[in-house]
Amino acid sequence: MPTERFDAFVERALYDPERGFYAAGGQAGRRGDFLTSPEVGPLFGAVVARALDTWWHDLDEPDPFTVVEAGAGPGTLARTVLTAAPDCARVLRYVTVERAAAQRGQHPDGVESRADLPRGPLTGVVLANELLDNVPFRLVERTADGWLEVWVEDGEEVLVPLDGPVPPVLAALDAPIGARLPVQERAAGWLADALALVERGRVVVVDYADTTPSMAGRPQHEWLRTYRGHDRGGDPLADPGAQDVTVEVAVDQLAAVRPPDEDRTQAAFLRAHGIDELVEEGRRTWAERAHLGDLAAIRARSRVTEAEALLDPTGLGAFRVLEWAVS
C-alpha cells in the first residue's frame, strides 16, 4: 500500500476508477449506503424547483437559465426537480455533474450529464447538495511541537511535518494539544471555480457543516465519519473503497474564498421556499382522495412524513444552506 497524504488516501478510497467506493457502486438511496434529502422522497426536489423559479424571476427570467448540479450522484434530485415542472422549465438547461461513470449512467433524460463542471460564463445556479463533504481533505494534528500532518502508510496513520507552509486557517488558531482538524483546500478551490463560472446568478451549497475552531474542540469521529449500508462505518483507513468517507464542511474555510451572502439551516431554507404550502396541499389532496387509495393520494400523504425528516432539527433540518450571489 502506498505512502500518501490523507487527502490522497481519501481520493483513492472514494474515486479510484476501479476500486473506489463510488466506482464500486456506493451511492445514496434507500438501497444504497446513506440517505440524502433527495432520497427521502420527491418533496425536497419540489421545493428546490420552487427556489429555482424564485432565482429565475430575480434574474428577470433569462433564456437560457442554466442549473449546474454538482455531485449529482444517481440523478435523484434532477429527476424530482424536472418532475415538479417549475415555471423555468421551458428555458431550463439542467447540467448534472458526477465523477463516477456508474452513477452518471443513471441520470434522467432531459439533462446534460458530465464528469466535470461545464465551461462558463453562465447565467443561473450552481447547486451542490452534499458534495463538499466528499471532497478530499488534508488532516492535521496539534502537538507540543506545533502542527503535524497525517499521512497513511501501509494502512496506518503516521504524523509527519506539514507538507508545505502552515495553512492560513491554522496560523492563528488556538487549538489544544491533540486537536485534529480537516484542511479543506480542495473544497475551497471548488467554490472559487464555481463562483468564476457564474456571470449572473448564485452558488448554493447544502451540507452538514461547522467551523474550524468548533471542530478543534470536538473528537475526530464526530466530524470525520464513514458510512456503509446505511450504518456508520468503521475506521476511515479500514477497507479503502468499501465505505464512504465524509467530513463536516468548515464554513469559515469556504468564507476565506468569499463570505456567503446567506447562511441558514436547511429547515429555514425549505420554509422560505414553500415547503409548508406543499405539505398543506398534500394534506388536502389526501383528505379528498384517501378513500380512493390511488397513487396521487399516497404521494400526497407521504409529503407529511418527508417534511418531518427534511425539517428535523436533529438531522437533515440542521444542515446548512450557504448561498453566494453573483451579479
Side-chain angles (χ1 to χ4, degrees), residues 51-70:
L52 294 179
D53 275 342
T54 296
W55 299 328
W56 178 56
H57 293 310
D58 288 346
L59 292 170
D60 297 323
E61 302 182 5
D63 181 3
F65 178 58
T66 301
V67 173
V68 178
E69 185 195 339

Side-chain angles (χ1 to χ4, degrees), residues 232-247:
R232 288 288 292 269
D235 182 339
L237 302 186
D239 300 324
Q243 58 184 352
D244 192 20
V245 181
T246 73
V247 65

Side-chain angles (χ1 to χ4, degrees), residues 13-121:
L14 294 182
Y15 301 113
D16 181 271
E18 295 182 0
R19 299 184 179 181
F21 175 74
Y22 289 107
Q27 66 177 38
R30 297 187 184 279
R31 297 182 181 179
D33 295 274
F34 50 87
L35 201 64
T36 65
S37 294
E39 277 83 26
V40 169
L43 181 60
F44 184 78
V47 179
V48 170
R50 291 170 67 110
L52 294 179
D53 275 342
T54 296
W55 299 328
W56 178 56
H57 293 310
D58 288 346
L59 292 170
D60 297 323
E61 302 182 5
D63 181 3
F65 178 58
T66 301
V67 173
V68 178
E69 185 195 339
T76 304
L77 178 56
R79 189 173 291 106
T80 54
V81 166
L82 296 177
T83 298
D87 292 343
C88 63
R90 59 186 173 82
V91 296
L92 182 61
R93 174 194 176 208
Y94 201 113
V95 183
T96 49
V97 179
E98 173 55 49
R99 293 182 60 178
Q103 300 206 59
R104 287 199 305 277
Q106 302 176 60
H107 290 182
D109 294 336
V111 304
E112 177 185 328
S113 183
R114 300 174 52 96
D116 51 15
L117 290 174
R119 297 184 64 179

